Structure formats: C-alpha cells, structure tokens
Amino acid sequence: MVKLGSRIDVAIVGGGMAGASLALLLAKFCPNLSVALLEQRPLMDPGASIALPSFDTRATALAAGSLQLFDELGLWPQLKPYCAPISRVRVSDRGRAAGVAFTADKQRRASFAGMLGAVIENAALGPVLYRALARLPVTLVSPAQVERVRVCDQGVDLGWQGEDGPGCLAARLLVVADGVDSPLCRQLGIETERVEYRQRALVATLATQRDHGGVAYERFTDRGPMAMLPLPRRDGSHRMALVWTCPEEDAGELQALAPAAFVQRVQSAFGWRAGRILRSGELQGYPLSLHVAWEQWRRNLVLLGNCAHFLHPVAGQGFNLTLRDSYHLATTLAAGCCTGESPGQLNLLEEYGRARRLDQQLTIGFSDRVPALFAAPGLLAGGLRQAGLLGLNLAPSLRASFIGQAAGFGL
Ligand SMILES: Cc1cc2nc3c(=O)[nH]c(=O)nc-3n(C[C@H](O)[C@H](O)[C@H](O)COP(=O)(O)OP(=O)(O)OC[C@H]3O[C@@H](n4cnc5c(N)ncnc54)[C@H](O)[C@@H]3O)c2cc1C
C-alpha cells in the first residue's frame, strides 16, 4: 500500500504490457529499488483475467529474444502452455509464384529451443505477468488515474485519483508507460512525430480444419498484408490468429460482413494452407499509425512502450522492441545502483537512450517500410515484391538480417 505522500525510487504509470514487464525486470535486476506500478483501471482479479487494453483478444508474436528474456525472469514454464511455437515463417504474395520461408535452424544465432518465436494470446499473457508481480515486492496502485506530474531536480511528484479519492507520491524516476496519445506526455510538453497510415488491422481468432504445423504465414493480399499466426489448440480445435491490415474503407466493408461471409473472404485471400476455415471469433479493428516521441528521456523521466513508439503491427515488433528497451533500462539502472547513482540521474538515462537508439531506428524503419512496399497495388509494385521475396530466398546475408530483425535478437 502506497501511503499519501510516500517517497519511492521508481514510479511506473500504466500497467499494460510495457509497464508490467518493466516492473518485473526492475524487481529482478534492481532488487534494492522500491517500485510502484500505477494503473488507472481496476485490476479486479489479476490471477484470472486482466481487463486492460494490452490484454484484449489480440495475440502477440514473441520473438526468440523475448522468449529468452521471459526465461531469464523464470516465466517460461508459466508461459509455455499458452504459447504456440513458430518453427517456420512463410512469406508470400497472392497470385505470384515467389515466396520465402524462414526456419529456425538457418539463423545466425541460436534460437530459443529451436524456435523462431512463439505466439501467445494477450488475454493469457496478462495473468501470467500479474501473478508473477504479485509474488514480488512491487507496489500495485490501482485504480489510480495519474492526472498530475511535476518533474523537478530531486525527482517527480505524482498526483492521482483513486477509488478512495486523491493520492500522491514522490519518485526519483518516473516511467511513463500510459499508451499511445499519452495525456501525460502532452502535460510534460513532449511532442510526437505521427504518420497516419489510414489503415486498420482486423484481428480475429479463427478455427481451422487442419493443424498449422507451427507455421506463421505473412501473405500480401490485394487489400494489404495478412498474418496468420499459429495458436495452441483449445477444446480440440485447431486455431490461428488473423491480423489483416487493410485500407480504412476496405476494413469497414469487411467488418460489416456477416461472420460466414467474412470467413469466406479470408479463405479466398489466404487459400487452403490450413484447410477449411471453420469459423471466426469476435472481429476487432485497430486504426494504425506511427507515433514516435521526440524525447524519450529527461532527468528523472523515461517514456516506454506505445507512448514512446507506436508501430505498424505488420512485422509484430512493437512489444518485442519494448521488451528490449525495458531490459536495457533495468540493467542500466542496476549498474547505476552499484555505483550509488540515483535512478533518475541524467547520465544514466542518456546512456540508456544511446544504447537503444540504433535498435529503435532499425525496428521503426523496418515496420514502417514493409507495409508501404507491400500495400502498393499494380504490376510494378507486384514485380518489386516478387523480386524482393526472390532476393530474400537467394541472398543469404539479406535473409539473415531480415530474420535477425524479425526474431528480435539483440542489435
Ligand atoms: C493489432 C496489433 C497487433 C500487435 N501484434 C504484436 C505482435 O505480434 N508482437 C509485438 O511485439 N507487438 C505487437 N503489437 C504491439 C503491442 O500490442 C504493443 O507494443 C503493446 O500493446 C504496448 O503496450 P503499452 O503497455 O505500451 O500500452 P497500453 O496497452 O496502451 O497500456 C497503457 C496502460 O496505461 C494505462 N493508463 C493510461 N493512462 C493512465 C493514467 N493517466 N494513469 C494510470 N494509468 C494509465 C492504461 O489503462 C493502460 O493499461 C501489436 C499491436 C496491435 C495494435
């Protein structure tokens, strides 16, 4: 319980995938730091389900590097039953012969248990993270909507509205992880670069006739890129997670279809690689844009997750990138603890920012360019895509760097 006016080392605002993962990493790497995680929504029964935006009906492709990180946190045994391993990725362009396949054994670096990665439903990931947090000395403050932040030389003052009225605390470091379009960043005067893609990601869980065999498909259709990701079987059903990125108007049309008609459209765009698509679960649409904050750190302040960078999901990179950011932040603060530095000290946060710059630039650029290439209609763009896929098949170094980027190995 955080008392009114308490003073702690690190306050994390936002209990989504970013905030919860950082809290776990800080508890492991910086056990001497006191950490509070503040979430505006109630965490009703963290053991059963977590009603936060991060942990909705989507599924997340975790790169091999992220699996290794969760293993280091001791969470792989808890995650494994909910994960479908990805042993192969097949990239193809509808109506064209060329395609490219990646398998785990052709990578530059050893992968996690021979996998390229694994897919987990977000609704399963949330309870695993929060059950682990409940066993650690991290203070959960919820519901607590942080409304006021003031950064000063000594640290940060936070004020929130909770169930029992207002609360406040002082922290030496504030980590803002409150999602895209963050009001707290606006309050702090942090601007964001934005690109509106005018696209929507349509997301649904599909039941299929045949097993996916551990294959993740990335297929470039006339409407836009379609990912079909393997999911673990449930109640005897073979399942896959669909993420179909379409222009806004096409997405609206597809969302208005009856479920059977929607399944038919998916079948005709995806083909019969998993046999007949039997049914679709609830269809959700996510408007897509690129947001990158102009500043990600200041003295006593760091931005993390969607509020720092919100990416196109075509390459499944957003959370994987955030995990790598979080790992570097936690290990940088741990090194600072050893030499008696305050977690909000500018030199530490600058060191963190410098270490993360290249990976962020590459990952953001990769997520931004792939949809642009594959969204372009017409013969020429189709030809370029085919040449690109053929190039990936033929040029081992190009393919290795594509896999390295997609698999999220430390860059
Ligand atoms: C369709 C889609 C598919 C994706 N697939 C993948 C994938 O396969 N692989 C991958 O790596 N990434 C993927 N991503 C990206 C991934 O979902 C994001 O990286 C992740 O959701 C980031 O979460 P977050 O914690 O930063 O933000 P959020 O989930 O938005 O969490 C922010 C939290 O802050 C809380 N909050 C907000 N304001 C306040 C306040 N004032 N006080 C207290 N709390 C507050 C909110 O309630 C919320 O719980 C995908 C994204 C989309 C849209």
Side-chain angles (χ1 to χ4, degrees):
M1 179 73 187
V2 168
K3 295 198 182 72
L4 210 66
S6 299
R7 186 165 182 82
I8 50 136
D9 292 316
V10 185
I12 306 170
V13 176
M17 283 158 103
S21 304
L22 177 69
L24 288 167
L25 284 158
L26 289 177
K28 177 173 174 67
F29 290 106
C30 314
N32 296 332
L33 295 181
S34 52
V35 178
L37 180 61
L38 297 100
E39 167 55 47
Q40 66 183 1
R41 302 203 184 196
L43 296 164
M44 299 296 282
D45 176 8
S49 71
I50 306 287
L52 302 184
S54 263
F55 307 117
D56 61 6
T57 58
R58 280 172 293 172
T60 294
L62 294 171
S66 300
L67 297 179
Q68 280 164 0
L69 196 56
F70 280 125
D71 195 33
E72 227 177 294
L73 286 172
L75 291 182
W76 178 235
Q78 290 90 305
L79 291 172
K80 197 175 173 188
Y82 302 106
C83 282
I86 302 174
S87 53
R88 198 176 171 80
V89 176
R90 290 197 62 86
V91 185
S92 62
D93 202 358
R94 189 184 176 208
R96 292 181 187 269
V100 62
F102 307 121
T103 49
D105 54 358
K106 292 207 181 103
Q107 287 175 69
R108 281 177 301 173
R109 296 177 55 170
S111 58
F112 187 76
M115 298 182 223
L116 276 168
V119 185
I120 186 163
E121 285 164 282
N122 294 19
L125 177 62
V128 171
L129 300 183
Y130 272 89
R131 274 197 295 267
L133 275 174
R135 292 192 298 269
L136 294 167
V138 170
T139 306
L140 294 181
V141 192
S142 143
Q145 181 171 35
V146 176
E147 294 179 331
R148 184 177 51 75
V149 287
R150 193 176 67 86
V151 185
C152 54
D153 279 354
Q154 293 71 38
V156 182
D157 293 322
L158 296 182
W160 71 84
Q161 269 308 325
E163 230 166 17
D164 308 322
C168 67
L169 62 78
R172 295 204 286 168
L173 173 66
L174 166 66
V175 180
V176 182
D178 62 348
V180 71
D181 260 333
S182 154
L184 291 185
C185 285
R186 276 198 295 278
Q187 201 183 114
L188 290 160
I190 297 177
E191 306 250 354
T192 305
E193 184 179 335
R194 291 157 184 249
V195 177
E196 295 299 334
Y197 291 120
R198 296 189 191 81
Q199 293 172 350
R200 213 179 298 170
L202 299 182
V203 172
T205 301
L206 306 176
T208 58
Q209 185 187 12
R210 286 209 301 266
D211 184 46
H212 43 68
V215 181
Y217 296 91
E218 186 81 56
R219 187 157 173 76
F220 295 98
T221 73
D222 300 340
R223 289 179 191 264
M226 168 187 274
M228 284 278 269
L229 306 174
L231 286 177
R233 284 175 71 159
R234 184 180 292 162
D235 303 328
S237 289
H238 302 298
R239 301 183 310 140
M240 297 191 85
L242 168 75
V243 185
W244 195 359
T245 306
C246 304
E248 276 291 348
E249 44 303 350
D250 290 6
E253 188 217 321
L254 288 168
Q255 281 188 283
L257 291 174
F262 175 72
V263 163
Q264 242 176 19
R265 295 288 185 94
V266 177
Q267 185 90 66
S268 103
F270 178 65
W272 295 81
R273 289 159 186 80
R276 180 175 294 284
I277 298 171
L278 303 172
R279 59 189 171 275
S280 163
E282 196 185 343
L283 180 61
Q284 299 283 0
Y286 297 82
L288 298 181
S289 47
L290 172 70
H291 293 223
V292 183
W294 284 7
E295 288 172 86
Q296 285 190 26
W297 73 92
R298 284 180 186 172
R299 185 193 304 275
N300 307 325
L301 176 75
V302 174
L303 272 48
L304 192 76
N306 279 351
C307 87
H309 40 63
F310 178 71
L311 313 186
H312 196 294
V314 67
Q317 299 273 330
F319 180 53
N320 290 302
L321 178 64
T322 290
L323 270 183
R324 299 198 292 278
D325 289 343
S326 306
Y327 172 80
H328 278 267
L329 182 58
T331 50
T332 307
L333 297 185
C337 282
C338 292
T339 50
E341 288 167 288
S342 159
Q345 220 160 290
L346 189 58
N347 63 310
L348 275 185
L349 303 180
E350 279 174 345
E351 191 183 318
Y352 158 74
R354 272 196 302 275
R356 298 306 303 139
R357 191 169 293 143
L358 180 63
D359 184 14
Q360 288 196 4
Q361 280 172 355
L362 287 173
T363 308
I364 292 167
F366 181 77
S367 301
D368 186 41
R369 279 191 299 275
V370 171
L373 174 63
F374 288 97
L379 207 57
L380 179 63
L384 282 173
R385 285 197 291 268
Q386 193 170 31
L389 294 181
L390 281 170
L392 283 173
N393 258 336
L394 297 176
S397 62
L398 188 59
R399 187 171 56 201
S401 80
F402 185 93
I403 295 175
Q405 188 71 46
F409 290 114
L411 284 150

